[in-house]
């Protein structure tokens, strides 16, 4: 069985306590990681603080060399990492491999972007100061706490770790429990990349036990968190004095405004709703459509949902087991609530433990939980609404505000509608998605705070340092 230890100051930590990671497909242990305690967490931050001055004083190209070596190790080990990911979070092997490759692309782009994080130079003449030149450089904030969710255990971790290190910060990284085998595996890559001591530390253990210790440590200069609204709001309270970037949950609506390309719309909607079994923050989690168009669209959606394969990650099934039975129970609860209130199951509504068949539910009303709560699973509600204005109203009444999709061939109409939707991003004639990773990625309202994306990650982990020359 895979046994991975926490990693502090370039040493593997074995305190004799272990956290078992359950394989969602077999429901048996996939491995175990060190379950750290408070004194270990403090050690990690001390190591990061001690290393930060020297690390940030290194020339940028030297830091780039280290991170690029890490990327090479990532690619060298991509099959192993994809296998671990498949076992750990039930992601299809091919999809897991794609996640590792996408992560290497993120590192490459981040390396290019950090080279262009040039200082801002200004004169004061516009304000009457005729003898000053200001040079405002971006400098590291210091020690970054990076916390990632289970659903992209490589991508959403490195998308924090790489920009942090490249800009001269040091990192204390907490992977999700389901994702910790991947997260702890990074330590081997860091050693192989000859990372200097203390710049990258992996603290493993259950979030509810050590989470507050990790996020309340006085050495933290910035927290980059991706995860649920519940934990995000806890961070907002606990770490109120620290710089925070929070990427949280979503309830992305798809507004279907015409029936001119229903086949294409349906393809986007199904890919958006059921990718990685719906366990994506940017998944399409509700369809808002008029009665007339719904009568044409639902049969097309049904055919596509029923064509999805259901099974094991190693067979690259479209739909694989959700992360655990507690999650499956929650998802089933939303479906049952909708059924009880009169919604119509078009297909699915079948499960074996945490393997849930993709479910399409029509006639979902705003009185049902499924209209508002984030299932984070393979279920798609159809909400029939007979005017674009009503669709926008319902879309905006959600506490979430991550992304949305507007399907409409008249671009002017699509833009007018998109501009009224209260989310970080609106996709016209495409499914909601974080990629391409160079785009700014943000949620508003309960969906987050601050902005991710490559350039924005670099900016969020640095601050200005101004030097004004008087002559
Ligand atoms: P989660 O339960 O909130 O966990 C996220 C991370 O926070 C994990 O590493 C978790 O560790 C840790 N954590 C738990 N309690 C903590 C605490 N008190 N203090 C500090 N850290 C703590 O979320 P998840 O189940 O992994 O991911 C699913 C959720 O994340 C969904 O709501 C999804 O929408 C959201 N998400 C958002 C984005 C985005 O970019 N907006 C991307 C992916 C996922 P443990 O696993 O050990 O508890
Ligand atoms: O939920 C993870 C979020 O980052 C989604 O990424 O590329 O699948 O939209 P993507």
């Amino acid at each position: 069985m895979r046994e991975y230890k926490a990693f502090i100051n370039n040493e593997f930590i074995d305190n004799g306590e272990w956290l078992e990671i359950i394989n969602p497909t077999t429901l048996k242990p996939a491995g175990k990681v060190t379950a750290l305690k408070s004194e270990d967490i403090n050690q990690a931050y001390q190591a990061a603080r001690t290393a930060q001055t020297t690390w940030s004083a290194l020339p940028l190209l030297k830091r780039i060399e280290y991170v690029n070596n890490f990327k090479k190790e990532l690619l060298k080990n991509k099959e192993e990492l994809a296998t671990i990911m498949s076992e750990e979070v039930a992601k299809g092997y091919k999809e897991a491999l794609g996640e590792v490759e996408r992560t290497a692309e993120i590192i490459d782009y981040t390396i290019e972007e950090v080279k262009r994080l040039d200082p801002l130079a200004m004169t004061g003449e516009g304000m009457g100061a005729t003898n000053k030149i200001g040079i405002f450089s971006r400098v590291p904030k210091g020690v970054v706490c990076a916390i990632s969710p289970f659903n992209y255990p490589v991508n959403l971790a490195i998308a924090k770790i790489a920009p942090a290190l490249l800009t001269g910060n040091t990192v204390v990284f907490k992977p999700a429990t389901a994702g910790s085998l991947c997260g702890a595996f990074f330590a081997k890559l860091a050693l192989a990349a000859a990372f200097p001591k203390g710049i990258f530390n992996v603290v493993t253990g259950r979030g509810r036990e050590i989470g507050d210790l990790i996020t309340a440590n006085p050495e933290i200069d910035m927290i980059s968190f991706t995860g649920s609204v519940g934990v995000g709001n806890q961070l907002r309270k606990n770490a109120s004095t620290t710089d925070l970037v929070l990427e949280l949950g979503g309830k992305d609506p798809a507004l279907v405004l015409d029936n001119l390309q229903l086949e294409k719309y349906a393809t986007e909607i199904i890919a958006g709703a059921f990718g990685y079994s719906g366990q994506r923050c940017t998944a399409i989690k509700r369809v808002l459509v008029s009665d007339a168009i719904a009568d044409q669209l639902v049969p097309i959606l049904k055919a596509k949902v029923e064509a999805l394969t259901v099974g094991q990650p190693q067979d690259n099934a479209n739909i694989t087991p959700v992360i655990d039975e507690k999650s499956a129970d929650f998802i089933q609860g939303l479906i049952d609530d909708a059924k009880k209130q009169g919604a119509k199951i078009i297909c699915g509504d079948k499960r074996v433990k945490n393997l849930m068949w993709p479910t399409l539910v029509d006639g979902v009303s705003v009185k049902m939980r499924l209209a508002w709560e984030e299932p984070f699973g393979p279920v798609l509600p159809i909400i029939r609404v007979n005017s674009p204005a009503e669709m926008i109203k319902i879309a905006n009444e959600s506490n979430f505000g991550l992304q949305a999709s507007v399907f409409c061939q008249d671009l002017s109409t699509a833009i007018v509608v998109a501009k009224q939707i209260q989310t970080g991003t609106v996709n016209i004639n495409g499914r909601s998605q974080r990629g391409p990773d160079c785009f700014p990625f943000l949620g508003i309202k309960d969906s987050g705070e601050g902005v991710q994306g490559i350039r924005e990650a670099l900016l969020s982990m640095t601050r200005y340092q101004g030097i004004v020359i008087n002559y």
Side-chain angles (χ1 to χ4, degrees):
M1 177 154 84
R2 301 181 196 281
E3 276 185 28
Y4 295 154
K5 294 173 183 167
F7 184 67
I8 297 174
N9 211 27
N10 279 26
E11 288 174 20
F12 291 104
I13 305 297
D14 179 352
N15 62 4
E17 309 258 335
W18 294 97
L19 170 62
E20 229 172 38
I21 314 301
I22 300 302
N23 179 330
T25 307
T26 63
L27 296 178
K28 292 190 170 58
K32 59 184 184 179
V33 295
T34 316
L36 289 182
K37 297 285 172 256
S38 58
E39 58 277 10
D40 307 312
I41 306 294
N42 291 330
Q43 260 180 33
Y45 279 107
Q46 284 312 317
R49 175 60 65 199
T50 305
Q52 201 268 327
T53 307
T54 310
W55 176 246
S56 64
L58 279 182
L60 171 61
L61 292 183
K62 189 65 186 157
R63 293 202 298 270
I64 286 175
E65 190 184 324
Y66 280 114
V67 173
N68 198 47
N69 288 343
F70 180 92
K71 182 207 70 179
K72 289 175 184 167
E73 294 302 325
L74 190 74
L75 289 173
K76 242 191 258 174
N77 292 273
K78 68 178 182 180
E79 287 82 5
E80 171 73 358
L81 208 41
T83 302
I84 296 171
M85 197 188 309
S86 273
E87 292 168 2
E88 190 170 27
V89 298
K91 188 167 281 189
Y93 176 76
K94 270 167 60 181
E95 195 176 342
L97 210 51
E99 178 175 332
V100 180
E101 289 159 352
R102 172 182 177 184
T103 303
E105 288 160 17
I106 288 177
I107 294 175
D108 284 340
Y109 197 101
T110 307
I111 285 172
E112 287 315 306
E113 201 65 27
V114 76
K115 291 176 185 173
R116 284 154 192 79
L117 215 53
D118 292 322
L120 171 71
M122 292 176 74
T123 71
E125 294 201 39
M127 299 292 283
T130 55
N131 65 330
K132 291 179 184 292
I133 294 176
I135 300 168
F136 299 88
S137 305
R138 300 300 299 186
V139 298
K141 286 185 176 172
V143 174
V144 169
C145 167
I147 302 177
S148 60
F150 79 80
N151 63 338
Y152 281 79
V154 175
N155 194 295
L156 282 172
I158 302 295
K160 302 171 187 301
I161 295 162
L165 292 175
L166 286 166
T167 46
N169 298 282
T170 51
V171 175
V172 173
F173 164 56
K174 159 76 175 83
T177 291
S180 289
L181 294 174
C182 287
F185 191 85
F186 296 158
K188 298 183 179 184
L189 308 181
L191 284 180
F195 274 11
K197 272 187 171 185
I199 69 165
F200 173 63
N201 305 276
V202 187
V203 293
T204 48
R206 204 172 286 287
R208 64 168 176 271
E209 289 159 16
I210 60 170
D212 293 353
L213 290 168
I214 291 170
T215 55
N217 192 284
E219 292 298 341
I220 297 173
D221 294 304
M222 189 268 175
I223 297 176
S224 178
F225 173 85
T226 300
S228 64
V229 175
V231 176
N233 285 335
Q234 219 174 313
L235 287 193
R236 279 178 168 135
K237 277 206 298 282
N238 290 354
S240 52
T241 56
T242 310
D243 277 6
L244 280 179
V245 170
L246 303 173
E247 291 299 339
L248 306 177
K251 187 71 179 178
D252 294 5
L255 284 71
V256 180
L257 299 182
D258 68 35
N259 62 354
L260 301 177
Q261 295 279 348
L262 285 184
E263 193 60 38
K264 280 189 184 159
Y265 299 170
T267 300
E268 282 299 305
I269 290 170
I270 297 302
F274 294 101
Y276 185 43
S277 309
Q279 297 174 112
R280 292 169 49 244
C281 60
T282 47
I284 289 179
K285 295 176 186 144
R286 47 190 174 145
V287 175
L288 303 174
V289 60
S290 71
D291 258 334
I293 295 177
D295 289 344
Q296 300 167 51
L297 177 62
V298 169
I300 301 172
L301 291 174
K302 177 175 186 289
K304 291 178 184 295
V305 172
E306 290 177 333
L308 295 171
T309 55
V310 180
Q312 314 295 311
Q314 58 272 28
D315 302 331
N316 294 301
N318 300 124
I319 304 295
T320 54
V322 295
I323 198 66
D324 56 30
E325 290 193 84
K326 181 168 164 261
S327 178
D329 291 343
F330 175 74
I331 298 159
Q332 191 62 53
L334 297 180
I335 295 169
D336 293 348
D337 171 75
K339 277 194 304 189
K340 205 165 54 193
Q341 296 191 60
K344 186 180 168 202
I345 299 293
I346 300 298
C347 58
D349 189 19
K350 176 184 164 194
R351 71 179 271 204
V352 174
K353 296 188 177 172
N354 58 321
L355 181 60
M356 304 189 83
W357 270 250
T359 300
L360 190 57
V361 189
D362 194 1
V364 172
S365 83
V366 293
K367 293 189 180 64
M368 300 172 190
R369 290 174 56 204
L370 186 57
W372 305 107
E373 297 182 39
E374 180 185 43
F376 224 58
V379 55
L380 180 64
I382 309 287
I383 303 172
R384 292 175 174 237
V385 185
N386 276 318
S387 77
E390 187 65 10
M391 291 182 199
I392 294 165
K393 180 171 175 292
I394 292 176
N396 290 338
E397 279 173 353
S398 171
N399 293 331
F400 291 107
L402 192 60
Q403 296 204 3
S405 290
V406 171
F407 292 99
C408 176
Q409 293 305 301
D410 178 323
L411 212 43
S412 304
T413 303
I415 292 169
V416 167
V417 170
K419 288 170 79 73
Q420 298 173 66
I421 298 175
Q422 296 160 8
T423 56
T425 302
V426 178
N427 303 270
I428 293 176
N429 294 327
R431 65 185 183 279
S432 34
Q433 57 181 316
R434 172 166 58 105
D437 296 303
C438 55
F439 282 10
F441 181 64
L442 69 152
I444 61 173
K445 301 197 279 186
D446 276 355
S447 290
E449 200 165 308
V451 188
Q452 280 192 150
I454 291 173
R455 181 161 186 82
E456 290 68 23
L458 293 166
L459 292 172
S460 73
M461 295 172 178
T462 55
R463 63 167 177 82
Y464 272 127
Q465 180 187 55
I467 293 176
V468 176
I469 302 162
N470 294 278
Y471 58 91

